[in-house]
């Protein structure tokens, strides 16, 4: 074997940039990315945005068929009207019971029962009002709005597709706020 002395390279000292290259695999994504979903189920009847579309905050990006929710409102209104009629009857019965009680023509237990029926009718009206308000909120949720200004980077639904939002909100769109600022998650 031949042993050789190491070679040294000498250069004059100078100022300059140091460059270091890092090689890694990872996923490139927008800094702010919002998933748009639906809280109600139904058939998509219209899309207001597509892949690579610019959207603004509050812009309609999808519409779910509202017919079922309109019928729910009609049903809730009818149930509320029926319950209000029952409340009117309970109020009339209480007035009659008060007159009879003044003249000591009914037992106290009968009067108490009539009073409780009135309270139950009042509670039933509040329950029906809440059901009507819930139906109205569900109807409002059939229109899907963009939550931020940005660009649609993925669309997961088409017109005519059924969206099922039973336990969790299905993803309809992914919207990136600004594609000029990106981040990479390297491993």
């Amino acid at each position: 074997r031949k042993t050789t002395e190491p070679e040294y390279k000498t250069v004059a000292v100078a100022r300059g940039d140091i460059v270091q290259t890092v090689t890694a695999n990872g996923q490139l994504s927008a800094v702010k990315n919002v998933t748009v979903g639906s809280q109600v189920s139904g058939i998509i009847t219209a899309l207001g945005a597509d892949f690579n579309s610019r959207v603004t905050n509050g812009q309609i990006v999808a519409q779910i068929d509202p017919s079922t929710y309109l019928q729910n409102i009609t049903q809730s209104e009818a149930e509320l009207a029926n319950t209000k009629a029952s409340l009117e009857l309970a109020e009339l019965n209480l007035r009659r019971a008060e007159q009879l009680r003044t003249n000591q023509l009914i037992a106290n237990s009968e009067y108490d029962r009539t009073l409780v029926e009135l309270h139950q009718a009042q509670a039933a009206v509040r329950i029906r009002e809440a059901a009507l308000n819930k139906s109205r909120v569900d109807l409002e949720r059939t229109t899907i709005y963009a939550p931020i200004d940005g660009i649609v980077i993925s669309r997961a639904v088409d017109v005519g597709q059924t969206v099922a939002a039973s336990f969790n909100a299905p993803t309809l769109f992914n919207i990136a706020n600004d594609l000029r600022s990106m981040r990479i998650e390297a491993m």
Side-chain angles (χ1 to χ4, degrees):
R1 288 190 175 165
K2 183 175 157 187
T3 55
T4 58
E5 302 240 349
E7 283 186 33
Y8 295 102
K9 190 176 191 182
T10 58
V11 219
V13 176
R15 290 187 181 265
D17 293 334
I18 298 175
V19 177
Q20 181 179 4
T21 304
V22 176
T23 304
N25 293 328
Q27 184 174 351
L28 186 64
S29 61
V31 174
K32 186 173 184 184
N33 188 12
V34 177
T35 301
V36 179
S38 171
Q39 292 179 317
V40 295
S41 300
I43 297 172
I44 300 290
T45 57
L47 291 175
D50 201 357
F51 184 73
N52 281 341
S53 298
R54 280 205 168 278
V55 293
T56 57
N57 186 359
Q59 176 183 338
I60 296 174
V61 293
Q63 179 68 48
I64 295 174
D65 181 20
S67 58
T68 302
Y69 301 99
L70 288 169
Q71 294 307 314
N72 287 346
I73 287 177
T74 303
Q75 180 180 352
S76 294
E77 287 172 343
E79 289 172 350
L80 178 60
N82 184 37
T83 307
K84 283 183 176 179
S86 296
L87 175 61
E88 287 178 31
L89 179 62
E91 289 170 345
L92 289 172
N93 287 340
L94 182 64
R95 279 198 295 262
R96 287 183 192 129
E98 285 173 343
Q99 290 172 353
L100 293 172
R101 183 177 176 210
T102 318
N103 298 328
Q104 297 181 346
L105 297 174
I106 63 169
N108 285 339
S109 61
E110 186 68 28
Y111 174 78
D112 292 341
R113 184 174 329 146
T114 307
L115 184 62
V116 168
E117 288 171 359
L118 174 68
H119 294 311
Q120 288 174 333
Q122 290 169 336
V125 167
R126 286 196 300 274
I127 289 169
R128 295 298 182 196
E129 287 172 342
L132 177 59
N133 289 335
K134 181 187 178 305
S135 295
R136 288 181 177 147
V137 167
D138 286 345
L139 177 63
E140 290 173 8
R141 289 179 175 162
T142 61
T143 304
I144 312 297
Y145 300 95
I148 61 170
D149 293 342
I151 298 172
V152 177
I153 57 174
S154 75
R155 176 177 55 90
V157 292
D158 287 313
V159 173
Q161 184 173 346
T162 301
V163 174
S166 52
F167 294 110
N168 57 354
T171 300
L172 306 179
F173 296 93
N174 279 324
I175 300 175
N177 183 295
D178 184 10
L179 294 180
R180 291 174 290 180
S181 298
M182 303 291 282
R183 75 170 181 226
I184 188 165
E185 295 177 12
M187 295 177 241

